[in-house]
């Protein structure tokens, strides 16, 4: 093991001995294709930056809308040129489209044997109701609104990626768009999307943050094969929760999704396919969020931003459809139209300077970083906004880049480019904004911040108060009118954030992925102790923040600008949003100690030239965990070392933070070998008390596992049986097998299930596909590919990683 300071001294001595050394200006991973790519000068923008206006992907119109009886078995549901009924395509549709799984009958009281329309009618009672946002009564959690059907081709397209590109780039696209179209979903409204694969490679579409059947979740080997189609069925329901005093489970409105997205998830090819363009937004609206919009708490047009014109007879095809883009809504006519909301996907790509193509190095297993920064598929765009509050739904859609985002006034940005700003100056000069959510869910309260950190796949839901920033009054604006969304996170390779080794300074290399605050600031002072937390603060070290602050990573002195915002004029007459710091949003609840039925441990590490979890490479045919459906578990994630960041995404369910521990002293020591030695973490510091309460209480679908950290999360497993996956969302790590399967298994009184033992039978394969067949008599609707060997290990999986991660400290400890 080597101390970082020794390396710095050695580097300095070698440079002095060598004399003048020519600067390296071609530090890209792709040779001569991008000879101007210099990672040290990522803040230096081309002269044409901010010359193109932001493009918002359009919203597709459904090909059909109707009840189950209207649509099932009918031809041309997906348009006049497609005669194949729902579920009759090669890969079929999920069983849940037309059948009640057995465990629904046991756990929810659904009627066994019911199929078709009778099953749909039965589920309306089983899945409960919620209050309508407009006070009109109750709406059903399952199938309250008519089913919407869409058809989405996946195909190659030619797109010019920036103004100076000589040739158009060949990209992978959803219906010719990069990013793909923005879907608008409503909780309680089922959706079927027929994805057609016109590429020369297999794909698998994952609705990231969704709560959906396994057949539709984008399992890595549940492909849409070349030339074939799969009907993805999204019920858009709230999972159920059993409350004290309730006879039956009720819809869990705390789980109402908001900002979700979709992307490719094909095994071994996700990084390449996403870098080539396969990603897009899907925004979901629950009743509580619609009420916040209707009451003008959140930005929008009030009740006018809560309508779906297709369901309310607000216009015919000639009024709704864009004549320049058939199959899509005319801008302003889409469901839940909100002119004061900007969904923004942030990505970085390497662009070949000679051909204008996206360059991708399949051997760069650390992670893919780019030299060109895109917002909604455009490099360095700008947008004009009205002088009022705006909502920004930000998505880190990059393969391996971590963003620390700030909003800077133009004069501050220019000064940073000229002379540079240190961390304190950046913090003081950054514009404040409100964060109202993270990943798929709104928080319990709005929280004022000056920066937000997004690892890969994270989303941040922000509200920016432009009148406060421009200091508008009755005499007109007298403050700044131009702002830049910037990235201040130092990152030179796919390992993750970190300062350079040759800066001869304090090696503050590895930060934590949160803005830590003392527990007596803001809403933190009213927080109740969480599960396993001490009732009283640790008197020996009541405030470790003074020790933590010097170790926080330095931000870029010259930030990387991503997006320019120009405040032009006052908004059309309408009441502005009332949200402010501390405004209540959607109440959250803890998963308590007595709900946890099992604890599992997983170590994410590099080994044998690739990536492993618990010493294993990914195998799609086995179950690495088998939680009991309807129960809660606590999972422990540990970073195996080496300085890599691993944002861990768990499919199907949200999770809640219980503990976030970091060994800061371990950051000072590293192993230059590959793989690194797994070293014991002897000085873990608990940080959970210093994470702001809304973020700690909020739900996540991707948690950043920073170097030398141990994270504990809790989640419930509900509704659907498996298989599902959890994995690192550095896409190159995922492709190189840093992934595992979990399979929720039903348990009955007659046959209780031990969650710590692999299941005796699988729900894999054709059992997940409605009427799936593999014999010669029924060659269609094959569902999934057949297994080549026995899929289930008969040994216990509980010993994986045991006694490696220290137990969490509880209030009973000395």
């Amino acid at each position: 093991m080597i101390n970082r300071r020794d390396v710095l001294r050695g580097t300095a001595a070698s440079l002095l001995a060598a004399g003048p050394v020519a600067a390296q200006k071609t530090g890209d991973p792709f040779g001569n294709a991008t000879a101007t790519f210099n990672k040290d000068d990522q803040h230096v923008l081309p002269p044409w930056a901010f010359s193109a206006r932001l493009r918002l992907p359009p919203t597709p119109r459904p090909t059909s809308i109707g009840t189950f009886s209207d649509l099932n078995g009918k031809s041309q549901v997906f348009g006049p040129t497609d005669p194949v009924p729902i579920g009759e395509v090669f890969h079929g549709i999920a069983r849940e489209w037309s059948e009640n799984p057995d465990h629904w009958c046991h756990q929810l009281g659904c009627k066994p044997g019911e199929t078709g329309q009778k099953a749909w009618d039965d589920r309306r009672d089983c899945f409960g109701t919620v209050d309508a946002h407009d006070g009109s009564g109750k709406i059903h959690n399952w199938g309250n609104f008519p089913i919407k059907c869409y058809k989405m081709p996946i195909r190659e397209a030619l797109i010019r990626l920036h103004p100076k590109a000589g040739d158009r780039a060949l990209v992978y696209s959803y219906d010719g768009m990069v990013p793909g179209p923005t879907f608008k979903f409503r909780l309680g409204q089922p959706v079927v999307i027929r994805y057609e694969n016109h590429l020369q490679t297999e794909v698998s579409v994952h609705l990231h943050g969704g709560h959906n059947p396994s057949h539709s979740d984008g399992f890595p080997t549940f492909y849409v094969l070349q030339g074939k189609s799969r009907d993805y069925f999204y019920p858009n329901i709230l999972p159920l929760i059993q409350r004290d005093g309730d006879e039956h489970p009720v819809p869990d409105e705390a789980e109402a999704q908001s900002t979700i997205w979709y992307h490719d998830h094909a095994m071994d090819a996700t990084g390449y396919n996403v870098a080539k363009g396969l990603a897009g937004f899907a925004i979901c609206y629950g009743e509580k969020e619609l009420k916040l919009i209707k009451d003008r708490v959140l930005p929008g047009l009030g009740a006018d931003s809560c309508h779906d014109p297709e369901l309310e007879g607000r216009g015919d095809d000639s009024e709704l459809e864009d004549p320049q883009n058939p199959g899509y809504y005319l801008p302003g006519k889409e469901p839940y139209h909100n002119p004061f909301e900007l969904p923004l996907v942030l990505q970085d790509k390497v662009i070949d300077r000679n051909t204008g193509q996206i360059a991708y190095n399949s051997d760069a297993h650390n992670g893919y970083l780019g030299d060109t920064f895109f917002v909604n598929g455009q490099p360095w765009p700008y947008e004009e906004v009205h002088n009022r509050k705006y909502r920004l739904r930000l998505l880190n859609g990059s393969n391996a880049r971590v963003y620390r985002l700030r909003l800077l006034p133009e004069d501050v940005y220019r000064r940073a480019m000229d002379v540079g700003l240190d961390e304190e100056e950046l913090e003081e000069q950054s514009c404040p904004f409100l964060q109202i959510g993270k990943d798929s869910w709104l928080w319990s309260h709005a929280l004022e911040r000056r920066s937000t950190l997004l690892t890969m796949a994270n989303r941040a839901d922000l509200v920016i108060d432009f009148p406060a920033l421009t200091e508008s009054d009755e005499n007109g604006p007298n403050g700044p009118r131009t702002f830049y969304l910037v990235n201040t996170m130092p990152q030179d390779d796919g390992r993750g954030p970190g300062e350079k080794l040759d800066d001869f300074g304090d090696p503050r290399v590895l930060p934590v992925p949160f803005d830590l605050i003392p527990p007596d600031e803001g809403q933190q002072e009213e927080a109740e102790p969480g599960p396993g937390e001490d009732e009283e603060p640790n008197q020996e070290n009541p405030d470790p923040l003074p020790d933590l602050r010097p170790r926080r990573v330095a931000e870029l002195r010259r930030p990387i600008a991503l997006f320019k915002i120009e405040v032009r004029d006052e908004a059309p007459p309408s009441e502005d949003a009332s949200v402010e710091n501390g405004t209540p949003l959607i109440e959250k609840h803890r998963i308590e100690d007595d709900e946890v039925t099992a604890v599992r441990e997983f170590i994410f590490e590099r080994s044998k030239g690739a990536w492993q979890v618990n010493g294993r490479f990914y195998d799609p045919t086995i179950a690495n965990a088998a939680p009991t459906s309807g129960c809660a578990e606590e999972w422990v994630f540990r970073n195996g070392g080496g300085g890599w960041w691993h944002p861990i995404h768990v499919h199907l369910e949200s999770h809640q933070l219980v503990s976030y521990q970091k060994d800061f002293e371990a950051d000072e020591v590293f192993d230059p070998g590959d793989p690194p030695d797994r070293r014991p973490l002897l000085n873990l510091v608990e940080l959970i008390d210093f994470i702001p309460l809304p973020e700690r209480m909020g739900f996540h679908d991707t948690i950043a596992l920073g170097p030398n950290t141990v994270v504990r999360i809790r989640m419930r497993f509900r509704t659907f049986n498996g298989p599902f996956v959890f994995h690192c969302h550095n896409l190159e790590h995922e492709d190189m097998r840093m992934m595992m399967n979990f399979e929720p298994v039903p348990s009955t009184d007659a046959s209780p299930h031990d969650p710590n033992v692999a299941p005796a039978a699988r729900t894999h394969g054709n059992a997940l596909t409605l009427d799936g067949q593999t014999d010669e008599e029924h060659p269609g609707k094959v569902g999934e590919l057949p297994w080549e060997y026995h899929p289930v290990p008969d040994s216990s999986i509980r010993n994986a990683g045991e006694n490696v991660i220290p137990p969490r400290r509880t209030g009973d400890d000395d």
Side-chain angles (χ1 to χ4, degrees):
M1 293 299 208
I2 301 173
N3 188 284
R4 297 183 66 87
R5 288 188 174 88
D6 294 335
V7 173
L8 296 178
R9 294 190 194 101
T11 304
S14 63
L15 287 177
L16 289 172
V21 179
Q24 176 69 26
K25 293 296 184 182
T26 58
D28 70 284
F30 308 118
N32 293 328
T34 57
T36 60
F37 182 9
N38 180 9
K39 293 179 181 179
D40 295 339
D41 292 331
Q42 295 177 78
H43 63 281
V44 178
L45 307 185
W48 46 262
F50 310 121
S51 61
R53 189 159 183 175
L54 178 73
R55 181 172 59 242
L56 295 177
T59 298
R61 293 192 65 197
T63 54
S64 297
I65 303 176
T67 65
F68 180 90
S69 295
D70 294 334
L71 301 172
N72 194 52
K74 304 300 194 309
S75 65
Q76 299 184 336
V77 169
F78 297 98
T81 62
D82 190 338
V84 182
I86 290 178
E88 297 297 318
V89 291
F90 182 79
H91 294 291
I93 194 170
R95 285 187 57 195
E96 291 84 352
W97 167 254
S98 187
E99 297 177 0
N100 286 341
D102 291 341
H103 68 281
W104 286 4
C105 302
H106 173 74
Q107 295 176 357
L108 307 179
C110 291
K111 296 177 181 178
E114 296 286 15
T115 60
Q117 186 65 56
K118 290 183 178 179
W120 277 71
D121 294 340
D122 177 48
R123 295 172 199 176
R124 291 191 176 187
D125 295 330
C126 296
F127 281 89
T129 61
V130 297
D131 292 327
H133 72 278
D134 57 3
S136 59
K138 299 283 187 179
I139 69 168
H140 292 282
N141 185 28
W142 183 287
N144 185 80
F145 304 103
I147 302 163
K148 286 187 173 183
C149 299
Y150 300 85
K151 187 172 183 178
M152 187 57 56
I154 304 173
R155 58 184 175 86
E156 293 179 340
L158 290 172
I159 296 176
R160 184 165 281 106
L161 293 176
H162 62 73
K164 300 301 181 181
D167 299 313
R168 292 184 295 170
L170 184 67
V171 299
Y172 292 172
S173 76
Y174 296 107
D175 201 18
M177 303 178 200
V178 176
T182 297
F183 287 98
K184 298 286 188 76
F185 295 157
R186 175 81 170 267
L187 287 171
Q189 179 158 55
V191 165
V192 179
I193 303 178
R194 174 165 292 177
Y195 282 100
E196 287 185 334
N197 184 7
H198 297 275
L199 300 177
Q200 298 181 34
T201 184
E202 61 270 18
V203 296
S204 179
V205 183
H206 172 50
L207 187 62
H208 187 117
H211 186 76
N212 297 302
S214 176
H215 177 277
S216 303
D217 183 65
F219 190 80
T221 60
F222 287 8
Y223 297 121
V224 187
L225 294 176
Q226 297 91 327
K228 306 298 183 182
S229 299
R230 177 186 290 260
D231 288 347
Y232 284 77
F233 171 46
Y234 303 128
N236 290 329
I237 59 170
L238 293 165
L240 304 184
I241 188 170
Q242 183 70 56
R243 299 286 196 193
D244 292 339
D246 291 331
E247 183 178 356
H248 301 290
V250 298
D252 189 354
E253 290 199 82
E255 293 276 5
Q257 299 150 328
S258 183
T259 307
I260 52 183
W261 65 299
Y262 62 101
H263 61 84
D264 187 67
H265 210 280
M267 191 168 76
D268 301 339
T270 299
Y272 180 79
N273 290 349
V274 172
K276 292 284 280 188
L278 293 184
F281 270 112
I283 298 175
C284 198
Y285 296 89
E287 297 306 301
K288 287 187 176 295
E289 181 173 348
L290 287 173
K291 181 169 176 54
L292 291 170
I293 297 172
K294 172 183 173 293
D295 294 344
R296 300 185 185 275
V297 176
L298 297 182
L301 296 174
D304 288 340
S305 289
C306 300
H307 294 296
D308 183 342
E310 300 273 17
L311 301 181
E312 301 169 11
R314 288 174 170 252
D316 56 24
D317 289 355
S318 63
E319 295 176 330
L320 297 179
E321 187 153 320
D322 186 350
Q324 304 300 318
N325 193 12
Y328 290 84
Y329 288 98
L330 192 69
K333 298 294 185 180
E334 71 277 2
Y336 317 109
H337 169 63
N338 190 341
F340 309 124
E341 178 177 297
L342 299 176
L344 306 175
V345 54
L346 310 178
Q347 296 175 306
D348 60 322
K349 304 177 190 293
V350 176
I351 305 301
D352 188 312
R353 296 294 196 262
N354 301 317
T355 66
Q357 304 297 312
I358 297 172
Y360 184 85
N361 183 3
S362 60
D363 295 328
H365 302 321
N366 269 350
Y368 172 74
L369 292 187
D371 61 339
T372 305
F373 291 85
F374 291 81
V375 180
N376 289 357
Q378 296 171 277
W380 298 289
Y382 78 93
E383 181 61 307
E384 297 178 358
V385 300
H386 297 296
N387 200 24
R388 59 172 296 148
K389 290 177 182 173
Y390 271 74
R391 180 176 181 178
L392 273 58
R393 299 179 186 257
L394 295 169
L395 158 65
N396 181 352
S398 293
N399 284 35
R401 184 175 292 277
V402 180
Y403 294 89
R404 186 184 185 95
L405 300 174
R406 292 185 179 274
L407 188 69
L408 301 182
E410 184 171 36
D411 61 332
V412 176
Y413 171 69
R414 297 299 179 192
R415 189 163 70 253
M417 292 299 98
D418 290 340
V419 299
L421 299 177
D422 61 28
E423 299 101 302
E424 292 186 3
E425 290 175 307
L426 276 172
E427 180 70 15
E428 292 173 356
Q429 299 297 318
S430 294
C431 298
F433 52 77
L434 298 175
Q435 184 157 355
I436 61 173
K438 188 175 183 180
D439 289 350
S440 296
W441 300 273
L442 292 180
W443 280 349
S444 59
H445 295 80
L447 178 67
E448 183 172 292
R449 320 191 87 154
R450 290 180 182 267
S451 72
T452 189
L453 190 146
L454 298 182
T455 55
M456 296 74 83
N458 279 146
R459 282 85 71 212
D461 208 335
L462 311 181
V463 174
I464 300 177
D465 187 349
F466 286 111
L469 300 181
T470 59
E471 302 176 0
S472 294
D473 56 29
E474 64 274 9
N475 298 318
N478 54 18
R481 307 291 287 185
T482 300
F483 302 87
Y484 291 86
L485 182 70
V486 302
N487 175 31
T488 65
M489 182 63 77
Q491 186 173 357
D492 291 324
D493 61 43
R495 280 178 181 252
E499 291 184 89
K500 297 191 307 177
L501 285 176
D502 58 356
D503 62 2
F504 314 121
D506 184 348
R508 295 168 295 170
V509 178
L510 307 173
V512 296
F514 303 98
D515 285 321
L516 303 178
I517 62 171
D520 60 349
E521 288 186 10
Q523 299 176 45
Q524 194 78 1
E525 62 184 357
E526 300 178 2
E528 297 178 0
E533 297 172 4
D534 294 337
E535 293 289 340
E536 298 295 332
N538 184 346
Q539 297 302 317
E540 296 180 1
N541 189 12
D543 182 9
L545 277 184
D547 294 333
L548 301 184
R549 279 180 177 142
R551 299 175 184 269
R552 198 165 119 186
V553 72
E555 298 184 64
L556 292 170
R557 293 181 58 83
R558 289 177 170 83
I560 303 170
L562 307 173
F563 178 48
K564 180 179 179 180
I565 302 174
E566 296 180 352
V567 182
R568 287 303 188 191
D569 53 9
E570 302 304 320
S574 82
E575 183 181 347
D576 206 349
S578 63
V579 63
E580 58 185 12
N581 188 37
T583 295
L585 299 171
I586 295 182
E587 183 180 359
K588 302 299 178 185
H589 47 72
R590 299 183 189 276
I591 300 176
E592 303 294 347
D593 288 349
D594 58 6
E595 298 180 70
V596 175
T597 60
V599 177
R600 305 180 190 275
E601 299 174 302
F602 302 99
I603 300 177
F604 296 79
E605 58 191 337
R606 185 171 177 85
S607 181
K608 300 178 182 178
W611 305 94
Q612 295 182 333
V613 184
N614 286 354
R616 302 175 182 177
F617 293 121
Y618 177 62
D619 184 342
T621 68
I622 65 174
N624 303 104
T628 301
S629 182
C631 295
E633 293 194 355
E634 182 173 304
W635 287 11
V636 185
F637 296 152
R638 174 181 168 174
N639 191 317
W644 286 282
W645 279 49
H646 302 302
I648 308 304
H649 172 44
V650 184
H651 287 217
L652 179 66
E653 291 286 3
S654 70
H655 56 257
Q656 196 168 42
L657 274 173
V658 177
S659 171
Y660 200 97
Q661 296 177 300
K662 181 171 176 65
D663 186 342
F664 287 90
E665 294 188 19
D667 286 356
E668 301 289 341
V669 181
F670 77 106
D671 187 334
D674 184 13
D677 292 334
R678 185 192 299 168
R679 66 187 306 273
L681 301 179
L682 303 176
N683 302 286
L684 288 169
V685 178
E686 178 58 75
L687 303 178
I688 193 70
D689 286 338
F690 305 100
I691 298 172
L693 182 61
E695 186 161 11
R696 172 158 45 110
M697 284 292 295
F699 298 148
H700 308 254
D701 60 45
T702 306
I703 191 69
L705 185 61
N708 303 308
T709 56
V710 177
V711 177
R712 291 176 180 264
I713 65 171
R714 288 180 180 175
M715 69 197 103
R716 296 182 175 88
F717 298 91
R718 296 167 288 188
T719 316
F720 303 108
N721 50 4
F724 298 93
V725 294
F726 61 100
H727 58 87
C728 177
H729 220 286
N730 180 320
L731 298 184
E732 283 65 49
H733 297 187
E734 173 187 337
D735 284 342
M736 288 302 290
R737 301 306 177 97
M738 187 173 265
M739 183 157 51
M740 276 191 164
N741 302 318
F742 69 95
E743 183 169 350
V745 175
S747 181
T748 65
D749 295 336
S751 60
H753 166 64
D754 182 350
N756 292 312
V757 178
R762 296 304 303 249
T763 55
H764 243 101
N766 289 299
L768 297 173
T769 305
L770 183 67
D771 299 327
Q773 301 290 337
T774 57
D775 57 73
E776 295 181 0
E777 184 179 353
H778 302 89
K781 298 179 291 183
V782 301
E784 320 314 335
L785 299 179
W787 301 116
E788 298 179 357
Y789 53 94
H790 187 62
V792 183
D794 56 8
S795 62
S796 170
I797 64 170
R798 190 172 185 271
N799 61 355
E802 265 198 332
N803 302 320
V804 176
I805 299 173
R808 175 170 49 85
R809 180 180 175 87
T810 67
D812 297 330
D813 294 335
D814 293 332

